[in-house]
Amino acid sequence: MRLRHPLIAVAAVAAMAALGACSPSAPDSSNAGGASDATLTIATTTDVVNFNPLIGNSRTDNWITSLMYPRLLSISADGAKSPLLAKDYGFTNPTTAFWNLRDDMKWSDGKPVTADDVAFTINSILRDKPAGNTTYGQLVNVDSASAPSPTRVELKLKKPDSTVVTEVGFWMNVVPKHVFEPSGNVAKFANDKDWVSSGPFKLTSVAKGQSYTLERVTPYPFAPNNTPVVSKIVYRVYPDINTEILALKNGEVDLIANALPPAQVKNLQGTPGIKVQEIPGLGYAHMTYNMKHPALADVKVRQALAHAVNYEAIRSVVLQGQGVSTGSSPIPPVLKEFADPTSKEYEFDVEKSKQLLTEAGYGPGKPLTLTMIYSLQDAVTSQWANLVKDDAAKAGITINLQGMDRNTYLAKTDAGEYDIYAGNFAIMDDPTTNMALTYLPGGAINYTLVDDPALNSLITQAQGTTDKAAQKQFVQQAAKLVRDNVYDNVMYMQNLYVAHSDKWSGFVVKPSELLSVVDPQSLANAKKS
Amino acid sequence: MTTTVAGLDSVTNDQVTAARATWAAFRRNPLGMVSVGILVVLVVVAICAPLIAEYPSGYGDAVLQGPSGAHWFGTDSLGRDIFAEVVWGARLSIVIAALSSALAIAIGVVVAVLGAYFPKADAVIGTIVDLCLSLPVLPLMILVAALAGPSLITLVLVIAFFSWPEVTRVVRSQALSVVRLPYMDAAKLTGGSSFWIIRKHLLPAVAPVIVVSVVLTASRAVLSAAGLAFLGLGDPNSWSWGRILYDAQQSGAMQSAWWTTLFPSLAMLLLVVSATLISIAYNDARNPRARED
């Protein structure tokens, strides 16, 4: 599913999965060596804004709160979900979904993690609608959650929704009912002290602008011997990626949580003492054309714009070859279950673009001028925005760049105040849910403001079926509509790289910058040699 | 009436002589002359940018390459030529400097002269200037630029708006001492209008201070513009020295590719240092006591 926008995209999660999937209850303790007194220091570029995982929307918020509040499911690089807090899940009938939970997880104050906590979290999100909460959008078809037993959660649905269990299971952080309930309204609960965590770590001290210290919590079933290997995690705040890289080189930090700028990857791969780890991408970067704009409502103009982008150059120069084409489809090839390998990317063809513009009534006599917004905090997008502008100029389209501060950008995006929106989604793991949010009228991230009855019908049908083959057909047809009509111009899926000191190993790699090697299971297993 | 005219003429003649003497003294100062040379070169580079280097756009194959014969200043993270960026950046940097300092000087001088000439207005103007001078300028610039959105006009207005109080302060103190001089009283006795007196007598007397202010304000404007651009508040549609630095920071190239930051910084340093030296040399040359030494 998706997330609300790159940044927004939050999420980090508990990934305990890779191991969890095959041996959920038998932690591998063969050579982990068990607990140590080591401290793992991680660099980040932003402070925690919200300690309440139901509100947060910055990367650091998510990285840190996910170490304290578990998820029901984890995810692998192909979008497949695997058990975490939930042992298994499914539907008892089309409008009743369930998760069965494991019974060996405890909050740090000794109380067990139960189905009651999960049901409370879901019902509170539905009731209080916390700002920027990713799960809220996924709960549209959910009426309520209940806990018939301490290890079973049931969802009552208003109408069939085949993706709700996996999506909510992956995106939602479960919070302790006994801590959050007394606040009355979870959307207003600051949760900024006396944290109660289910592990692997718990915040113990905060020095704003400097560091966040977390200490080990036991038992944590996804670490060797139920005990996270390192005793402490310290997140240190640096002004930008340059200072982070310097700090890593000097040995001040052991790991940089932020993905490396593409042009720095090669450089760091050749630096002694530093190991660069590839993180598979699971989202995409795109431009959407605001269909409320009279020119952009014309499919010919959108196609002209799509033909005026040199996708190959963006991937080879800006991304240094670290990007993968999706064939202009919103289903990236990594989602093998759903991807349509026959989808063809729009060709970079200035003449064709000019011809389409002429057919649409634009040309030298009636030039087309558009504005494009993007977030200045998004370095990669800021770079390719310039290439897009230069190439569009060759086709006679003037694009005025409006790079802006992230908050202004989000506000403009929400208000629909742009001609072209450029940005990216960190995780688009499930085409059905993604498309519902991206292309249905009123969808939380429908930045094209598209409302096409044919597309709406395909997406709704995909949501209504639990038959994988039928679902695949619906989403592939929908993706084709999106591509052919340029309801979305998906440019690439980026594989990321993070750097850490070569003294550390044992990290578990998860897709996207949100999970990467900083998700809970990975940090619980990291060890110093 | 005739006497008055004769008196005026002699004042004018005196000024021409003073200007000549100043220029003669200025020429004898090697630092001043070298600085003027540097400034002229920068302005020529800015004006002739299209003849010197191709406009840096698109991308190149060799990213983050060090200085070489093909790329004198190396390339940035998109493989663009940094020499071309610095050359074209000079254009925008100098345009911003010229426009915003012109605007700041215009506002600053008018306010200063009015304040000095009309004592009643001075109390109010003095307070406003003091207030403006005590504002934290950079955070306010950032705020305004962020709210208004990055563009050339925004930058010019923001910088000018926060630079004029400094001009007013300098010009006003000079003007205050001039209005007390006997020839100002004499001018008033002739029955001339206030506007005429200010234009003919007060402004010429403070002109040297204004010249110094122009140079200093312009160089400060370059720094402000670069500072804002470095924070991402520059105009993303054109090149400036601050934007080169900003791109280097964004791409994480600062610690591995020194050339991405050194050359635009050198350009700024040259401009600011030469502007400062010119104003110092000019001040020395204008001061008869310094001249005699």
Side-chain angles (χ1 to χ4, degrees), chain A residues 141-307:
Chain A
N141 297 324
V142 173
D143 182 63
S144 65
S146 60
S149 91
T151 56
R152 186 175 172 93
V153 184
E154 288 191 353
L155 283 181
K156 205 172 127 212
L157 305 181
K158 291 182 242 178
K159 61 174 194 176
D161 183 340
S162 58
T163 58
V164 69
V165 223
T166 42
E167 289 305 286
V168 174
F170 165 63
W171 284 99
M172 187 180 73
N173 289 97
V174 177
V175 298
K177 181 182 178 186
H178 60 284
V179 178
F180 279 61
E181 191 173 40
S183 71
N185 182 343
V186 297
K188 300 207 170 120
F189 181 45
N191 191 36
D192 53 1
K193 57 178 191 293
D194 304 330
W195 295 276
V196 170
S197 158
S198 69
F201 298 95
K202 182 179 86 143
L203 260 177
T204 52
S205 71
V206 169
K208 206 162 170 34
Q210 294 172 33
S211 67
Y212 295 81
T213 306
L214 298 104
E215 279 171 21
R216 162 163 75 201
V217 168
T218 56
Y220 182 69
F222 310 100
N225 300 325
N226 280 327
T227 311
V229 180
V230 295
S231 71
K232 261 190 208 173
I233 302 272
V234 176
Y235 266 92
R236 288 186 60 176
V237 183
Y238 287 86
D240 69 354
I241 186 75
N242 297 284
T243 40
E244 285 183 313
I245 293 175
L246 273 182
L248 179 67
K249 285 183 172 168
N250 299 339
E252 272 173 54
V253 300
D254 305 309
L255 165 69
I256 299 175
N258 307 84
L260 298 172
Q264 292 308 305
V265 171
K266 221 178 269 164
N267 175 14
L268 283 169
Q269 276 168 338
T271 306
I274 290 177
K275 198 165 175 278
V276 174
Q277 177 68 55
E278 182 175 356
I279 308 292
L282 195 48
Y284 57 68
H286 64 155
M287 290 188 285
T288 63
Y289 306 118
N290 186 340
M291 288 177 63
K292 296 274 183 263
H293 186 287
L296 295 174
D298 185 340
V299 63
K300 291 221 157 82
V301 173
R302 296 197 302 273
Q303 285 170 340
L305 282 160
H307 277 298

Side-chain angles (χ1 to χ4, degrees), chain B residues 68-72 81:
Chain B
S68 65
H71 303 286
W72 295 354
D81 184 36

Side-chain angles (χ1 to χ4, degrees), chain B residues 147-206:
Chain B
L147 290 177
S151 78
L152 177 64
I153 294 169
T154 312
L155 277 179
V156 167
L157 291 180
V158 165
I159 294 172
F161 187 76
F162 287 104
S163 305
W164 70 263
E166 187 63 30
V167 177
T168 303
R169 188 182 65 85
V170 176
V171 175
R172 176 171 159 266
S173 62
Q174 175 77 11
L176 277 177
S177 63
V178 172
V179 287
R180 290 195 203 102
L181 295 178
Y183 82 90
M184 290 297 290
D185 293 334
K188 279 180 199 161
L189 284 176
T190 63
S193 71
S194 298
F195 177 67
W196 177 79
I197 297 172
I198 289 175
R199 192 166 51 91
K200 280 286 181 191
H201 293 283
L202 188 50
L203 273 184
V206 295

Side-chain angles (χ1 to χ4, degrees), chain A residues 240 242 249 267 376 383 387 390, chain B residues 58 77 232 249 252 254-256:
Chain A
D240 69 354
N242 297 284
K249 285 183 172 168
N267 175 14
L376 288 171
Q383 289 195 318
L387 300 199
D390 292 342
Chain B
S77 60
Q249 191 231 7
M254 273 184 156
Q255 40 79 42
S256 58

Side-chain angles (χ1 to χ4, degrees), chain B residues 98-151:
Chain B
L99 291 182
S100 54
S101 77
L103 194 56
I105 294 288
I107 303 174
V109 168
V110 168
V111 172
V113 169
L114 290 181
Y117 191 79
F118 301 107
K120 278 186 196 151
D122 193 42
V124 181
I125 287 173
T127 315
I128 293 176
V129 169
D130 285 346
L131 194 74
C132 290
L133 283 172
S134 64
L135 290 175
V137 173
L138 186 62
L140 281 174
M141 275 192 190
I142 293 171
L143 184 74
V144 175
L147 290 177
S151 78

Side-chain angles (χ1 to χ4, degrees), chain B residues 39 93-102 104-105 159 163 167 210-225 241 271-272 275-276:
Chain B
L39 209 55
S93 301
I94 287 173
V95 165
I96 289 179
L99 291 182
S100 54
S101 77
I105 294 288
I159 294 172
S163 305
V167 177
I210 298 176
V211 172
V212 175
S213 283
V214 168
V215 178
L216 288 182
T217 311
S219 68
R220 242 183 263 131
V222 169
L223 287 185
S224 300
W241 293 334
L271 183 86
V272 174
T276 310

